[in-house]
């Protein structure tokens, strides 16, 4: 596993801030996922050794939390809120449009650039329908504007 | 009389030129309260919070000062403070405003509270889907550390406390305080079996731990600035202070509005502040305080007591925006995230959408919730898809009744309440939909798109 030196430094700085090493688990996993795009089997073993727990304890955490992924993330991970306030404002139609326009009907787009996924409420309900692309939040992506939004994503304008 | 906001927590938020950095915060009087209060005995600060009558803003509304006093005076173990910034209750987006736009007010509140309970260390558990929020908080903590407000020997008082920002992983159940603690210990976020009922007895690493919502802790900063007794004068008996109402769904102006408790009605909030219903629509129902609170239907009548103790009959629009007001009408304040439905919305789909949420978020640890949530979701989905049976309506209610109060954590209750209230209050709509299906009528959803997938 090839973690960037910055990632390893960040992880080494993180762990001693917790009274118990194991507590750093989620933050370490986030750091790794940000670096290499997923939590691979190798990463699981690495974290287990680093935090002094068994592999299966790390795997248990990885599989419990929806945000941790065992397969590589696409370059642009598009998350559409499916919960009530967004749904009433048309988020399901937005989801379908984005999937189609970004070529993600069967999971990731062929070039591996995009993936469109449903998530639950992202605490941005006043801007429904809410969409997140990687770390960035976009509000009021309506069924009417979804196609234009997809075009912008494809051309790297957003 | 038109209704006014009373901005205490949101005092400067959205003011032109107000930024999240420490210089701006200090120019507006920030950290002065900390510098003064840290010279006082810790027990005095707890007393101020008790006097203020502040109740938790995380959903359950538990009195904050009372919770703090659950830490045994004989305790010798380290004490921890956790700010709950998981903000995952659908319809709620108030904590986001504080974290993104006024992070130092939260940090000052956290350090003041940590000092009051003599915490060894504080944590902010922030939901995983707030990556920006986490960065903003981390930066703010470093700014505060550089000025001596966080870390070693705070303001020269001899008291030291660090704040660690900890990111969640997208699981709703980690908002529940014991699930959160497990998660912070680096485990799956399975809520703990009670008793002990309060982490103040046994919490993080089996040490006394106070978990408070981040808005609650931010409020502590304002309470200590104005004094507990002064704060208690704001609002109504049994509900001191202000609430940040987050309104979403079918209104003209969704958004957040900070209102003194009990000083406005549901109708004033929705019609005056939120600009009323969308063009040509009428309000149909609200979920007042986050998706797990009980639904209220427009047209329903409630009996409540006015200030003089006389009973009167009111409709949804007249319900006072306060914990006692909503409780008197059979629902609750929750996290003050109000979701609004109008007459274009199909209530069977609303329920199916809600049920799908809980089925997805159940941690699966206890049988009534794991099984009940899936079964309930399946039934309400089949009603929406044209496979419903007339007896399904009662079956939904019966299943919800069997989940309620029988689970390890309150997620079980949270999933039961919307089902019970929706089936009670929109029984006819559910039955009509099923009957139409049985009669072979086509099922066009009222709104142009379906709410269930
Ligand atoms: C399923 C579930 C989810 C919860 N989610 C949150 C949350 O996102 N944020 C929060 O502050 N409290 C949440 N709570 C309430 C917490 O358990 C706890 O009561 C609260 O953080 C205490 O803070 P307070 O006393 O300041 O309100 C949740 C409770 C349950 C049962
Ligand atoms: S009630 Fe549901 S979420 Fe809570 S512990 Fe039981 S299974 Fe998990
Ligand atoms: S319902 Fe979509 S962000 Fe809350």
């Amino acid at each position: 596993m090839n973690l960037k030196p910055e990632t390893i430094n960040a992880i080494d700085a993180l762990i001693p801030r917790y009274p118990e090493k194991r507590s750093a688990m989620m933050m370490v996993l986030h750091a790794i996922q940000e670096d290499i795009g997923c939590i691979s089997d190798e990463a699981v073993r690495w974290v287990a050794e680093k935090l002094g727990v068994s592999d299966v304890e790390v795997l248990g955490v990885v599989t419990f939390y929806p945000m941790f992924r065992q397969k590589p993330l696409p370059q642009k991970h598009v998350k559409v809120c499916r919960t009530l306030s967004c749904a009433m404002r048309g988020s399901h139609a937005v989801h379908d449009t984005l999937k189609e326009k970004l070529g993600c009907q069967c999971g990731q787009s062929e070039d591996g650039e995009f993936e469109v996924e449903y998530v639950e409420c992202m605490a941005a309900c006043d801007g429904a329908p809410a969409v997140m692309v990687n770390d960035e939040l976009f509000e009021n992506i309506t069924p009417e504007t979804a196609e234009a939004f997809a075009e912008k994503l494809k051309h790297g304008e957003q | 009389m038109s209704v006014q906001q009373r901005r205490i927590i949101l005092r400067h938020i959205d003011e032109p030129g107000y930024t999240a950095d420490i210089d701006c915060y200090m120019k507006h009087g920030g950290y002065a309260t900390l510098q003064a209060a840290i010279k006082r005995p810790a027990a005095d600060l707890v007393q101020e919070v008790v006097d203020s009558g502040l109740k938790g803003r995380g959903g359950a509304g538990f009195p904050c000062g009372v919770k703090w006093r659950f830490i045994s005076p004989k305790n010798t173990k380290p004490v921890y403070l956790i700010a709950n910034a998981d903000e995952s209750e659908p319809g709620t987006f108030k904590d986001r405003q504080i974290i993104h736009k006024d992070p130092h007010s939260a940090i000052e509140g956290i350090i003041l509270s940590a000092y009051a309970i003599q915490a060894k260390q504080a944590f902010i558990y922030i939901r995983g889907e707030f990556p920006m929020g986490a960065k903003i908080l981390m930066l703010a903590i470093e700014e505060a550390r550089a000025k001596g407000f966080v870390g070693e020997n705070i303001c020269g008082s001899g008291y030291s406390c660090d704040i660690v920002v900890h990111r969640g992983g997208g699981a709703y159940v980690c908002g529940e305080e014991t699930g959160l603690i497990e998660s912070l210990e680096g485990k799956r976020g399975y809520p703990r079996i009670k008793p002990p009922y309060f982490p103040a007895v046994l919490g993080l690493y089996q040490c006394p731990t106070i978990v408070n919502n981040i808005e609650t802790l931010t409020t502590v900063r304002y309470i200590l600035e104005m004094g507990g007794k002064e704060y208690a004068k704001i609002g109504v008996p049994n509900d001191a202070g202000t609430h940040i109402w987050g309104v979403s769904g079918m209104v003209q102006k969704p958004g957040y509005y900070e209102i003194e408790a009990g000083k406005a009605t549901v109708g004033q909030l929705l019609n005056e502040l939120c600009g009323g219903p969308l063009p040509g629509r009428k309000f149909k129902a609200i979920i007042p305080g986050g998706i797990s609170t009980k639904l209220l239907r427009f047209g329903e009548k409630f009996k409540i007591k006015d200030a003089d103790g006389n009973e009167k009959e009111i409709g949804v629009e007249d319900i006072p925006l306060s914990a006692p007001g909503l409780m008197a009408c059979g629902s609750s304040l929750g996290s003050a995230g109000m979701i609004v439905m109008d007459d274009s919305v199909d209530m069977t789909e609303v329920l199916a959408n809600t049920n799908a949420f809980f089925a997805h978020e159940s941690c699966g640890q206890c049988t009534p919730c794991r099984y009940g949530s899936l079964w309930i979701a399946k039934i309400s989905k089949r009603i929406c898809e044209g496979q419903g049976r007339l007896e399904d309506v009662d079956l939904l209610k019966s299943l919800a009744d069997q989940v309620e109060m029988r689970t390890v954590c309150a997620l079980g209750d949270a999933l039961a309440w919307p089902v019970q209230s929706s089936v009670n209050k929109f029984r006819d709509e559910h039955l009509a939909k099923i009957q139409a299906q049985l009669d072979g009528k086509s099922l066009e959803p009222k709104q142009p798109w379906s709410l269930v997938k």
Side-chain angles (χ1 to χ4, degrees):
Chain A
M1 193 176 55
N2 282 323
L3 288 179
K4 295 194 188 87
E6 312 79 283
T7 309
I8 297 179
N9 289 343
I11 290 173
D12 285 336
L14 202 71
I15 296 172
R17 300 195 64 193
Y18 289 88
E20 293 186 12
K21 255 205 240 174
R22 180 181 179 154
S23 276
M25 177 88 76
M26 310 259 296
M27 293 299 275
V28 171
L29 292 172
H30 276 302
I32 293 176
Q33 183 158 300
E34 262 156 42
D35 185 342
I36 61 171
C38 72
I39 309 294
S40 59
D41 291 349
E42 216 183 339
V44 168
R45 286 192 291 273
W46 189 86
V47 174
E49 187 158 335
K50 195 95 189 156
L51 299 181
V53 297
S54 69
D55 293 4
V56 83
E57 282 171 295
V58 179
L59 196 60
V61 170
V62 172
T63 51
F64 185 84
Y65 298 94
M67 284 182 78
F68 296 128
R69 311 256 305 200
Q70 291 169 279
K71 298 229 169 68
L73 281 165
Q75 272 172 25
K76 286 190 181 149
H77 188 199
V78 182
K79 291 174 264 192
V80 183
C81 172
R82 59 155 292 280
T83 318
L84 189 54
S85 300
C86 288
M88 288 194 291
R89 293 293 189 133
S91 72
H92 290 322
V94 171
H95 171 266
D96 293 351
T97 304
L98 294 182
K99 266 208 146 158
E100 187 198 321
K101 297 293 167 201
L102 299 173
C104 299
Q105 286 97 331
C106 317
Q108 291 190 355
S109 59
E110 256 172 56
D111 54 9
E113 188 173 0
F114 292 104
E115 183 174 329
V116 181
E117 191 182 64
Y118 271 131
V119 291
E120 303 294 352
C121 178
M122 298 187 285
C125 328
D126 54 340
V131 175
M132 255 179 112
V133 181
N134 297 347
D135 282 358
E136 208 177 336
L137 177 74
F138 296 92
E139 297 181 299
N140 302 305
I141 308 299
T142 64
E144 292 77 34
T145 60
E147 195 171 330
F149 180 70
E151 282 307 312
K152 282 194 175 157
L153 281 180
K154 272 209 282 204
H155 296 103
E157 290 162 29
Q158 209 134 51
Chain B
M1 194 188 69
S2 74
V3 52
Q4 296 291 325
Q5 290 197 61
R6 176 158 186 182
R7 288 191 159 209
I8 295 178
I9 301 159
L10 302 178
R11 191 183 291 175
H12 299 299
I13 285 179
D14 300 329
E15 247 174 43
Y18 192 78
T19 55
D21 63 277
I22 196 163
D23 294 335
C24 182
Y25 182 67
M26 290 185 71
K27 231 182 279 161
H28 288 78
Y31 289 112
T33 308
L34 175 67
Q35 283 166 313
I38 206 147
K39 301 200 181 93
R40 300 171 61 188
D44 277 16
L45 307 197
V46 176
Q47 188 62 45
E48 295 273 8
V49 173
V50 171
D51 290 343
S52 74
L54 172 67
K55 290 189 178 166
R57 303 299 195 225
F62 195 85
C64 183
V66 175
K67 186 192 281 189
W68 289 6
R69 286 204 170 143
F70 285 150
I71 300 174
S72 164
K74 296 197 203 101
N75 168 63
T76 51
K77 293 189 211 166
V79 172
Y80 295 105
L81 175 69
I82 304 174
N84 188 344
D86 195 53
E87 187 147 70
S88 44
E89 174 76 7
T92 314
F93 45 89
K94 60 186 180 69
D95 300 340
R96 174 195 280 277
Q97 315 309 328
I98 302 171
I99 294 165
H100 281 82
K101 300 175 186 164
D102 205 2
H104 282 286
S105 70
I107 289 167
E108 187 174 3
I110 290 168
I111 290 294
L112 282 163
S113 307
Y115 173 68
I117 62 167
Q118 290 291 299
K120 183 169 176 270
Q121 189 169 356
F123 298 89
I124 303 175
Y125 188 100
I126 183 167
R127 62 177 303 179
E129 298 89 335
F130 282 178
M132 292 302 182
K135 285 198 186 112
I136 291 169
L137 285 171
M138 286 176 191
L139 182 72
I141 290 168
E142 290 321 311
E143 286 178 334
R145 190 192 309 282
K147 295 232 190 300
F149 300 136
V150 170
E152 295 296 318
N153 190 18
I154 294 170
C155 305
S157 66
Y159 173 70
S160 302
C161 184
D162 196 7
I163 308 177
V164 169
V165 177
H166 189 87
R167 293 181 63 200
Y172 169 66
V173 75
C174 291
E176 198 274 350
E177 55 192 11
T178 61
L180 185 157
I181 287 172
E182 288 286 304
S183 179
L184 191 47
E185 287 185 358
K187 301 174 191 156
R188 292 183 147 213
Y190 289 134
R192 290 182 179 169
I193 292 171
K194 289 102 189 151
Y197 292 100
F198 289 97
V201 180
L202 285 177
L204 190 65
Y205 317 125
Q206 301 297 311
C207 295
T209 305
I210 295 294
V211 183
N212 273 128
N213 173 262
I214 193 157
E215 182 195 343
T216 313
L217 296 174
T218 306
T219 308
V220 168
R221 171 234 185 277
Y222 296 103
I223 289 173
L224 294 175
E225 184 181 69
M226 70 174 86
K229 294 209 169 82
E230 270 314 295
Y231 186 85
K233 291 182 192 154
I234 307 169
V236 287
N238 278 323
D239 194 4
T242 55
H243 299 297
I244 305 174
W245 288 92
V247 185
S248 65
M250 309 312 251
V251 289
Q252 298 261 13
K253 287 190 281 178
Y256 43 92
Y257 305 92
E258 186 174 352
I259 301 174
E260 184 172 352
K263 297 297 157 74
T265 60
V266 170
Q268 285 174 315
L269 172 61
L270 296 184
N271 291 312
E272 295 179 27
L273 295 174
C274 299
L278 296 174
R281 308 272 183 82
K282 281 210 278 290
F283 290 137
K284 184 172 185 180
I286 55 166
I287 298 172
I291 213 162
S292 48
T293 55
K294 288 191 179 179
L295 203 86
L296 298 166
R297 178 172 63 84
F298 281 81
E300 236 185 310
K301 292 288 168 212
F302 309 94
K303 284 204 172 72
I304 67 161
K305 289 211 169 90
D306 63 17
D308 305 323
N310 302 317
E311 204 168 75
K312 59 173 182 176
E313 205 178 61
I314 60 164
V316 171
E317 44 281 64
D318 307 312
I319 300 177
L321 291 170
S322 67
L326 284 158
M327 205 192 299
C329 301
S331 189
S332 50
L333 172 74
S335 54
M338 188 180 289
I339 306 173
V340 185
M341 274 68 68
D342 67 18
D343 54 358
S344 74
V345 176
D346 179 338
M347 298 308 288
T348 62
E349 294 206 339
V350 167
L351 184 59
N353 181 287
T354 309
N355 292 341
F357 171 80
F358 286 110
H360 184 251
E361 298 300 334
S362 168
C363 81
Q365 195 182 197
C366 42
T367 315
C369 173
R370 177 182 67 239
Y371 232 163
S373 64
L374 286 172
W375 199 356
I376 286 170
K378 189 170 156 188
I379 295 170
S380 69
K381 186 152 190 260
R382 83 175 169 224
I383 295 176
C384 294
E385 285 175 345
Q387 315 283 318
R389 307 163 196 166
L390 285 170
E391 60 274 21
D392 279 352
V393 178
D394 291 325
L395 183 56
L396 280 174
K397 166 90 173 40
S398 144
L399 286 167
D401 291 346
Q402 291 174 74
V403 177
E404 189 186 11
M405 306 293 285
R406 287 181 176 80
T407 54
V408 167
C409 87
L411 192 143
D413 304 335
L415 87 90
W417 293 333
V419 179
Q420 292 164 336
S421 56
S422 180
V423 167
N424 278 339
K425 296 180 184 185
F426 291 97
R427 191 181 171 84
D428 291 348
E429 193 169 329
H430 277 85
L431 287 173
K433 180 141 186 176
I434 299 169
Q435 192 59 52
Q437 296 158 356
L438 295 172
D439 295 345
K441 297 206 182 107
S442 73
L443 283 174
E444 288 298 326
K446 274 174 128 182
Q447 60 270 12
W449 39 75
S450 153
L451 307 185
V452 262
K453 273 286 165 77

